[in-house]
DNA sequence: TCGTTTTTGATTATTTTTGATCAATATAGA
DNA sequence: TCTATATTGATCAAAAATAATCAAAAACGA
C-alpha cells in the first residue's frame, strides 16, 4: 500500500469515527507505528487533522484544537515564569491587548493588582479579571463556545477601533520562516492585535520553536519582543530581524 | 482513549449537564480518578471550567447582575408570559438584538431551539445560549462587572456596525412622557439597539407603567410594539403614538 | 538499467501518560 | 463543634508513546 492511499484511508476512518489510534492503524495497514505517526504528522501539518498523543482526532467544523507535539511539554513553572516576565513588562496606566490563548490566559494571575486596561477577545480572561483592579474591554464579534473566545470579521473590525500600548499574543509555532497558526481565526485576531498596538510581545515556550504549521500568518518581525524559556541561540533568527528576546533563563 | 479526546468529551458533558463528577467520569472512561482529576486540573488552568470538590462545574457569571433578583413569584410568572410572547415573535433566520435586562434574559429559555442569530451585550445571555441552536455575537466594549454587561461609547459604535431584524429591550419605566432608565449606559445601548433594528419590541411588565425614572431617553415611539401583561387601557397613550400593544392577558 | 529520491522500519533516548500510595484537606452528619 | 468519611494531589515508578537517527528497501524517471 502506498503512502498516499494510506493517508486517504486514515482520513476516511477519521471522518467516520472521529478519532484514530496509532497502534490500531499500524496493525490494520500491516505497517509500523512510526510510519503511521509520520502520516499523522504530515496530515496535521496540512491541517487535515488534529494530532493527539496516541493518535489523532477530527477537526471540529468551527475550530481546530491545539495539535499535540511530543516536544511541547512545558511545566507550569516554566509557563508561569514566562507570564511573570510578561506581566513585568506592564506598567500602571498601560492599555494592553490579550488574545485567547492558554499562555496569555495564565498572565491574569500576575496582573490583577495593576491599574491598567485590558482589551481581550477571551471570555476566560474576562472572567478571571473581572473582580480585580483591571478595567476591562471585550472585543465584540462572533462567539465561539468551544474556545470561549470571540472571532470573525466583526471582531477584527472592532479591534481596529482600538489602540493599545502593548499586545500579548501566542502562536502555535515559530521558525525562521515566520509565525504559524492552526487556526485562521486566531491568526487573524493575533495579526489585528499586533497591528493596533505600539509594542507586541509574543509569549512562546521552547516547544513551539522550530515548529511550522500549515498556516504562516506573519513574519517574525510582526512582534517586537519574544518572551521565552528557550535558549537564545534557538532564536537567533529573530534577533537578526530586530526582534528582542526576553528570556526567563 | 487518548487524553485530548477525553478532555473534549469532558467539556462536552460539562456543556450539556452543567457539572461533572470525578468518580463517574472515571468509570465512564474506564480510567482512574487521578487521571480525571488531572484532566480537570488542566482544563481549569486553561480557564475552561471551574473545579469543585468531587468534580467540576461550568463557568457561569460570577454572580447574576444585581437587577436580576426576583421579587415575587407572581412577577416571575408575568415576566415569563411576556417572554413567551416575545419568543413567539421570532421566526427562523431572524437576527435579533437582546439587551442586558433581566426580563430580556428570561427570553433565553424560550428561544434555545430557534435557528436564529442573537447579538447581545449581556454575558448571562451569552452563557445561557451558548450551547443551543442559537448563533451568538457579542457586542464589544467596556465590561461592567456589576451588570455582567457591555456598555460604553465603543459598544454603541459597535452596535452601529450591526443591523437586526428585531430588537428586544427593557426599560425601567414608561409613561406618556416617554421611556425612562436609571442608567445612562443602559439607555444608550437600548437606543442604539432600537435604532439599528427593523422592528423593536419593548418588554414591559405592569409594574413599570406610569413610572418615570430620573432619565427619559426616548419617546414612546422609539419602539414598534410593547409586550406586556398590563391592561391595554393603561397603554392607550402608546396606541395613540402608533405603538402596537401585544398583551399576555 | 541505473542513479536519485522517497519511504520505511529498527533502535534508542526522551517525553508523556497513567495509576498506586498516603498524608493533608474538605465535607457531611450527629 | 467534633468525628468519620470522602476527596485531593504530591510523589514515585511503571507503562506507553514519541521521534531523531541511520540504513535499507522501494519507487520513480531518464
Amino acid at each position: 500500500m502506498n503512502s498516499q492511499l494510506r493517508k486517504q484511508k486514515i482520513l476516511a476512518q477519521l471522518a467516520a469515527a472521529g478519532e484514530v489510534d496509532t497502534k490500531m492503524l499500524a496493525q490494520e495497514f500491516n505497517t509500523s507505528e512510526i510510519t503511521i505517526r509520520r502520516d499523522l504528522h504530515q496530515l496535521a501539518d496540512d491541517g487535515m487533522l488534529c494530532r493527539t498523543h496516541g493518535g489523532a482526532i477530527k477537526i471540529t467544523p468551527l475550530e481546530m484544537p491545539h495539535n499535540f507535539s511530543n516536544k511541547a511539554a512545558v511545566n507550569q513553572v516554566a509557563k508561569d515564569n514566562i507570564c511573570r516576565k510578561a506581566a513585568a513588562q506592564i506598567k500602571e496606566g498601560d492599555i494592553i491587548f490579550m488574545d485567547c490563548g492558554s499562555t496569555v490566559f495564565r498572565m491574569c494571575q500576575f496582573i490583577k493588582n495593576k491599574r491598567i486596561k485590558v482589551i481581550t477577545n477571551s471570555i476566560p480572561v474576562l472572567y478571571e479579571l473581572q473582580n480585580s483592579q483591571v478595567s476591562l474591554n471585550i472585543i465584540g464579534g462572533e462567539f465561539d463556545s468551544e474556545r470561549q473566545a470571540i472571532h470573525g470579521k466583526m471582531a477584527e473590525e472592532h479591534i481596529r477601533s482600538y489602540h493599545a500600548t502593548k499586545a500579548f499574543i501566542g502562536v502555535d509555532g515559530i521558525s525562521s520562516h515566520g509565525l504559524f497558526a492552526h487556526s485562521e481565526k486566531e491568526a487573524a485576531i493575533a495579526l489585528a492585535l499586533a497591528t493596533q498596538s505600539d509594542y507586541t510581545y509574543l509569549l512562546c515556550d521552547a516547544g513551539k520553536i522550530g515548529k511550522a504549521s500549515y498556516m504562516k500568518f506573519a513574519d517574525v518581525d510582526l512582534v517586537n519582543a519574544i518572551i521565552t524559556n528557550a535558549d537564545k541561540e534557538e532564536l537567533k533568527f529573530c534577533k537578526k530581524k530586530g526582534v528582542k528576546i526576553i528570556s526567563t533563563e
Side-chain angles (χ1 to χ4, degrees), chain A:
Chain A
M1 187 187 298
N2 72 60
S3 67
Q4 283 296 101
L5 183 63
R6 201 174 52 236
K7 281 188 222 156
Q8 299 274 340
K9 291 194 176 201
I10 288 172
L11 287 176
Q13 275 199 33
L14 191 58
E19 64 167 329
V20 290
D21 181 91
T22 307
K23 198 174 292 184
M24 286 181 67
L25 286 176
Q27 280 171 16
E28 183 170 335
F29 296 135
N30 195 32
T31 191
S32 75
E33 286 177 37
I34 186 59
T35 297
I36 297 298
R37 282 191 205 112
R38 283 191 185 118
D39 287 346
L40 295 181
H41 188 268
Q42 278 168 32
L43 288 168
D45 275 355
D46 294 341
M48 306 300 285
L49 55 78
C50 174
R51 191 81 174 81
T52 64
H53 192 91
I57 55 176
K58 201 170 163 182
I59 297 166
T60 56
L62 296 176
E63 194 55 65
M64 183 193 304
H66 287 291
N67 262 312
F68 165 81
S69 161
N70 204 36
K71 295 291 176 66
V74 176
N75 58 48
Q76 272 185 18
V77 174
K79 220 170 183 174
D80 281 355
N81 285 341
I82 290 171
C83 293
R84 213 177 267 112
K85 203 72 153 182
Q89 312 304 314
I90 301 169
K91 45 189 211 299
E92 300 272 306
D94 268 350
I95 298 171
I96 68 166
F97 284 130
M98 291 174 75
D99 82 0
C100 64
S102 60
T103 306
V104 170
F105 169 76
R106 297 194 68 84
M107 276 176 69
C108 292
Q109 57 191 320
F110 302 115
I111 64 172
K112 286 190 181 190
N113 55 0
K114 296 190 185 247
R115 290 172 189 273
I116 59 175
K117 184 183 286 263
V118 167
I119 304 167
T120 185
N121 71 319
S122 164
I123 299 288
V125 167
L126 191 76
Y127 185 73
E128 190 70 22
L129 294 176
Q130 71 176 302
N131 290 304
S132 70
Q133 299 294 309
V134 175
S135 158
L136 292 164
N137 265 49
I138 186 131
I139 290 156
E142 278 173 46
F143 178 67
D144 174 345
S145 80
E146 261 190 38
R147 292 309 260 281
Q148 292 292 305
I150 291 123
H151 295 124
K153 280 293 170 198
M154 277 299 194
E156 287 160 47
E157 240 181 75
H158 193 214
I159 290 166
R160 281 193 274 274
S161 307
Y162 286 106
H163 170 257
T165 47
K166 287 155 190 158
F168 294 87
I169 63 171
V171 291
D172 292 308
I174 172 170
S175 80
S176 56
H177 293 104
L179 304 179
F180 293 86
H182 291 311
S183 157
E184 294 176 38
K185 287 183 181 179
E186 290 191 21
I189 297 291
L191 198 50
L193 295 184
T195 304
Q196 297 299 118
S197 70
D198 294 334
Y199 201 95
T200 303
Y201 295 89
L202 176 65
L203 277 50
C204 180
D205 61 76
K208 296 207 173 120
I209 292 158
K211 276 185 58 182
S213 299
Y214 94 98
M215 185 187 165
K216 177 195 159 183
F217 72 95
D219 283 326
V220 162
D221 58 14
L222 173 73
V223 304
N224 303 90
I226 298 177
I227 305 175
T228 186
N229 62 324
D231 192 276
K232 285 193 179 184
E233 239 359 72
E234 288 187 75
L235 288 165
K236 218 165 32 174
F237 63 91
C238 296
K239 287 200 80 170
K240 279 186 190 159
K241 299 265 180 110
V243 177
K244 184 178 176 186
I245 311 299
I246 301 171
S247 178
T248 62
E249 306 298 319

